[in-house]
Amino acid sequence: MNQLRLKKYFEDLQVNVTMAGHVRVPSEWKHHNHITANNCLYYFLEGEGTLQIRNSTFSPRTGDLFVLPAGALISYSTSPDNPYRQMFCHFDATVGQIPLFQLINTPLHISLSDQLQAETLFGRLIERFHCGNAFAGLAVKAAIFELLQFIWEQEPQKPSAAVSPAAERWNDILSYIDKHADGPLTIDQIADNFNYSPNYFFRYFKSAFGISPHQYIIKIRMEKAKQLLLTTDWTTARIAIELGMERSHFSRLFLASMDMTPRQFRSLHQ
């Protein structure tokens, strides 16, 4: 279930990089009880000093990367005789309107074993961020997603779905929809199950995930349809029944979602 939640979060993740760079910090680099305005990645290449995140104190070394969620209370300083050289990135990350790090837990400190690849990916992100061509925005998004994937694949302690009242509520709602998506399912039914009015639930869901509950249900059904098309020899009619839909309605939705018919999709992937 945890993996299902993470998959959903990462599928809907929106990231906006606001700053990226490669610097040798000045010898007076120091701040006490600073609150981060954005999420930050700090990758340390050289130098000595200290970094305190909330109640944890670190002495970053070469190859150490730190993930600082927005709003974290931090303090930092560097050695005047050996100031840090670091790559950094400031970014916003949301799932709908919900900050990513309210929905997931991830280690704050990650020691990267493949330092060459880390520098390559970070350098690519920095270069693309400072590029002024028309496609720079797309290139930056691709680079930050690649970097985040690399970081979390390097870390033995993988991200996990956060346990908080708000996160648990959303996890319960998503799990309920996933479980019942292969049958008749209405917004009224979901709202009633969680003691919301339909209108409030609609607004609440869309503000959190950026799509309506109905669009999410269709998305889940189309994902299940693709899996069945690839792993069974069932007819389109049988798959439609399995998803609680009429064949013609299913075919129209699949075509609108995939720009091809179910038969074309199956043929393409055989």
Side-chain angles (χ1 to χ4, degrees), residues 181-183 224 228 234 236-245:
D182 56 356
K224 291 186 177 183
L228 292 172
W234 291 0
T236 300
R238 181 173 178 183
I239 292 175
I241 292 171
E242 183 72 14
L243 297 175
M245 305 169 70

Side-chain angles (χ1 to χ4, degrees), residues 62-78:
T62 299
D64 285 350
L65 181 136
F66 292 85
V67 181
L68 311 179
L73 183 66
I74 67 171
S75 299
Y76 52 81
S77 64
T78 191

Side-chain angles (χ1 to χ4, degrees), residues 58-219:
F58 306 91
S59 297
R61 294 289 184 263
T62 299
D64 285 350
L65 181 136
F66 292 85
V67 181
L68 311 179
L73 183 66
I74 67 171
S75 299
Y76 52 81
S77 64
T78 191
S79 166
D81 299 325
N82 189 16
Y84 280 122
R85 182 168 65 90
Q86 62 174 258
M87 291 174 159
F88 70 92
C89 170
H90 299 172
F91 64 102
D92 300 317
T94 57
V95 178
Q97 301 298 315
I98 302 176
L100 173 65
F101 294 107
Q102 289 185 17
L103 295 173
I104 71 168
N105 295 317
T106 184
L108 300 176
H109 172 216
I110 299 173
S111 185
L112 299 177
S113 57
D114 191 345
Q115 296 178 20
L116 178 60
Q117 181 67 354
E119 287 191 45
T120 298
L121 294 177
F122 231 125
R124 184 179 302 162
L125 169 63
I126 294 167
E127 178 184 2
R128 292 177 177 179
F129 180 80
H130 292 283
C131 175
N133 69 41
F135 303 106
L138 292 175
V140 169
K141 288 183 184 296
I144 185 63
F145 279 124
E146 187 177 15
L147 178 60
L148 289 172
Q149 180 183 359
F150 168 78
I151 290 168
W152 284 324
E153 286 180 341
Q154 287 268 300
E155 170 57 38
Q157 185 181 341
K158 304 302 182 190
S160 61
V163 178
S164 69
E168 282 298 297
R169 189 66 163 175
W170 279 121
N171 290 334
D172 290 345
I173 290 171
L174 295 179
S175 297
Y176 180 87
I177 294 174
D178 293 342
K179 181 178 179 180
H180 295 88
D182 56 356
L185 187 62
T186 66
I187 293 175
D188 287 2
Q189 176 185 340
I190 304 168
D192 182 66
N193 189 76
F194 291 94
N195 299 315
Y196 295 123
S197 72
N199 288 338
Y200 177 80
F201 174 72
F202 180 92
R203 295 193 303 271
Y204 186 42
F205 190 99
K206 190 167 185 179
S207 70
F209 293 105
I211 60 174
S212 71
H214 180 66
Q215 289 171 318
Y216 179 72
I217 293 169
I218 291 174
K219 181 179 177 181

